[in-house]
Amino acid sequence: MRNDLDGSDGVVVKQERGVRTRNHLISVAAAEFDRNGYDGTSLSRLSRSAGISIGALTFHFAAKGELASAVEDSGRAATRRVVEGVTARGGPALETVSALVLALGRLIETDAAVRAAARLTQERAGAGPDWCGCWLPDVKELLEQAAEQGQLDPEVDPCPVTLLTAHLVGGVVNRVRRGRGERPGAVAGELRELWRLIRRGIAARPDPELPK
């Protein structure tokens, strides 16, 4: 009886160790793919960075593509959590767009898996769904709602604003990658100022006060 319990406990410990190793590999790979891209990252490089043997690495991920897919999944999942957290709060559509753009900026600045997912889904043959697909449809829907609710200037078309937002947020990914070593929050602060200017240009003007 005792031996059975010891054996069961041993299996659980082994499984937990395997999960920790797998998560460690995904974290290390995210940083490497973010920095060097898919083609610039090798299994031997990942093995050295993770501090484990090639055999241990390929036990969890038989090929580099499998590890890249896991990083993409991790980045997309983190992005969706932020999107769902922001949109669940409700409120005026344009306010929600603003909150979502700024939340994405903070996420991009702090999460290498998100930056890696954005890069890998553009660079890698056979990659999963494009990273922008995790959040851009939500922005488009919210901007359309904002237009219907009169929150946008009547001359503003939500479609080009959606495209502009895609370029802006995509630029943040590259800006963070180039600006390594800057103080934390610097890029998110830049995004906040840029979005403030964009919002000023797209928001409906308040009605002029009626003469008394």
Side-chain angles (χ1 to χ4, degrees):
M1 185 69 170
R2 177 64 181 171
N3 289 339
D4 289 345
L5 288 173
D6 288 347
S8 177
D9 289 346
V11 169
V12 171
V13 169
K14 190 172 182 179
Q15 290 174 339
E16 290 175 347
R17 187 184 303 120
V19 170
R20 287 196 300 270
T21 300
R22 180 182 173 86
N23 290 339
H24 174 60
L25 285 168
I26 292 171
S27 177
V28 169
E32 292 290 341
F33 285 134
D34 172 40
R35 183 180 300 110
N36 303 303
Y38 185 74
D39 291 337
T41 302
S42 65
L43 285 179
S44 59
R45 183 188 187 100
L46 290 168
S47 171
R48 290 194 302 272
S49 296
I52 66 173
S53 68
I54 285 284
L57 190 158
T58 54
F59 174 81
H60 292 279
F61 299 98
K64 184 172 72 169
E66 288 186 14
L67 186 47
S69 293
V71 171
E72 292 168 18
D73 290 344
S74 177
R76 282 192 290 262
T79 304
R80 284 307 305 170
R81 286 194 294 271
V82 166
V83 171
E84 291 166 8
V86 171
T87 55
R89 301 173 197 163
L94 186 55
E95 293 287 344
T96 304
V97 171
S98 298
L100 179 53
V101 168
L102 299 181
L104 287 171
R106 292 189 294 271
L107 178 68
I108 290 165
E109 193 165 23
T110 57
D111 195 326
V114 171
R115 298 192 300 273
R119 183 169 188 171
L120 287 169
T121 55
Q122 291 183 336
E123 291 183 355
R124 185 171 78 93
D130 190 83
W131 174 73
C132 283
C134 293
W135 59 272
L136 197 57
D138 296 83
V139 169
K140 183 175 185 292
E141 182 178 350
L142 287 165
L143 286 169
E144 289 172 348
Q145 291 175 13
E148 292 170 0
Q149 296 165 7
Q151 297 166 23
L152 298 185
D153 186 290
E155 296 185 0
V156 170
D157 184 339
C159 289
V161 181
T162 302
L163 182 59
L164 175 60
T165 307
H167 285 296
L168 179 65
V169 175
V172 171
V173 176
N174 295 325
R175 175 73 179 84
V176 172
R177 190 174 294 127
R178 293 196 311 270
R180 296 182 188 281
E182 290 188 298
R183 63 177 178 79
V187 178
E190 292 174 2
L191 175 62
R192 186 181 302 107
E193 289 304 306
L194 290 172
W195 182 254
R196 182 176 60 84
L197 295 174
I198 292 170
R199 176 170 170 159
R200 183 184 298 171
I202 65 174
R205 304 296 188 272
D207 292 332
E209 186 178 350
L210 295 174
K212 295 180 180 179

